Amino acid sequence: MQPIRGETHDDTTIRRDHRGGPPFLHKDVGATWSFIVFAKPSGAWAPRIDDVHDAVTARRTIAGIFQEFFPEDAPVIEQLDVIESDPVSWLKGAVTPTVRQAVATTTSGHPVAAIGDTAIAVDPVAGQGAQNTVIQVAELVKAARAHDGEFTADWLAEEFEKHWERRGHAAVEVTRLFLGDPDYATHAELSFPAAAVSPAIAQALFGLLSDPNPLLGLRTREDVEGFITAVAEPHDQVLARFAPAGRFSSAAPAAVTV
Ligand SMILES: Cc1cc2nc3c(=O)[nH]c(=O)nc-3n(C[C@H](O)[C@H](O)[C@H](O)COP(=O)(O)OP(=O)(O)OC[C@H]3O[C@@H](n4cnc5c(N)ncnc54)[C@H](O)[C@@H]3O)c2cc1C
């Protein structure tokens, strides 16, 4: 979305908002703002997303979400306009998390390997897909360089298994954590409130998006409590400081430098 021509914006207000993306340079109009929202199928935002059919309805839905859930920023959002010249400035979709058998053989007998989303598709909520792809490809190229002999289906399958152990599995699990999967109910119950009151825990939790592997070692309630204690201070002390907001706050929290 672009600022309405002739308007200037209170940059401070926009910058402290973490839900809108930073300005993009659009091919037609230069600096623009984009928004991304994630709606769970059973959540309050899903029917709003169902109503999105073009850039105008996308803008209307975003403005409506801000009005209801983030009213302090709604006046800024209201000032934004769609880019008339770009009918494809909006996108909606859904991802079915899928891990495939990553190697197959063509009818003429050539082994083929799937990479990236074709092998492991995750919901974008935890930003894992491209990272996972880049690591898979880099490691595959490295292994291919060091390999002497045929690139057989077995060799490709073995390399995929190594990738699964090295990164793929953790990328899938951290996505499940951030999606609110019931298997991670304890992790969410303890670590998100702890992150709300401790910048060190917030940083460690956010760090799982860059390196999700430590999550694989956190299986039980005791593991998660130990994680909180190791990162910050005794888990019961951290959690005792947390008071649920009960509703979205009308004032964004001050930025914390860690
Ligand atoms: C909204 C959203 C936000 C995301 N945010 C992040 C993030 O923050 N961090 C992160 O790591 N990942 C993120 N991802 C995931 C990331 O975009 C994907 O994981 C990544 O692009 C996968 O790369 P890929 O090469 O496997 O597939 P793609 O990037 O999808 O590339 C496949 C290409 O093949 C082309 N193609 C398809 N069929 C054919 C055909 N028959 N002939 C020729 N070409 C064809 C397609 O047009 C496409 O260009 C996000 C995804 C979405 C949807």
Side-chain angles (χ1 to χ4, degrees), residues 150-164:
E150 291 265 310
F151 292 108
T152 61
D154 282 348
W155 184 85
L156 290 168
E158 215 173 282
E159 289 305 316
F160 179 74
E161 288 307 319
K162 286 184 201 162
H163 169 65
W164 176 253

Side-chain angles (χ1 to χ4, degrees), residues 180-198:
D181 189 293
D183 281 356
Y184 285 97
T186 302
H187 297 65
E189 174 204 327
L190 298 173
S191 61
F192 285 93
V197 295
S198 162

Side-chain angles (χ1 to χ4, degrees), residues 108-165:
S108 54
H110 293 285
V112 287
I115 55 172
D117 282 5
T118 314
I120 302 174
V122 287
D123 189 286
V125 71
Q128 294 302 300
Q131 300 189 65
N132 186 49
T133 301
V134 167
I135 290 170
Q136 182 186 13
V137 171
E139 294 293 336
L140 194 58
V141 168
K142 210 192 292 174
R145 277 215 187 97
H147 180 65
D148 196 12
E150 291 265 310
F151 292 108
T152 61
D154 282 348
W155 184 85
L156 290 168
E158 215 173 282
E159 289 305 316
F160 179 74
E161 288 307 319
K162 286 184 201 162
H163 169 65
W164 176 253
E165 294 302 325

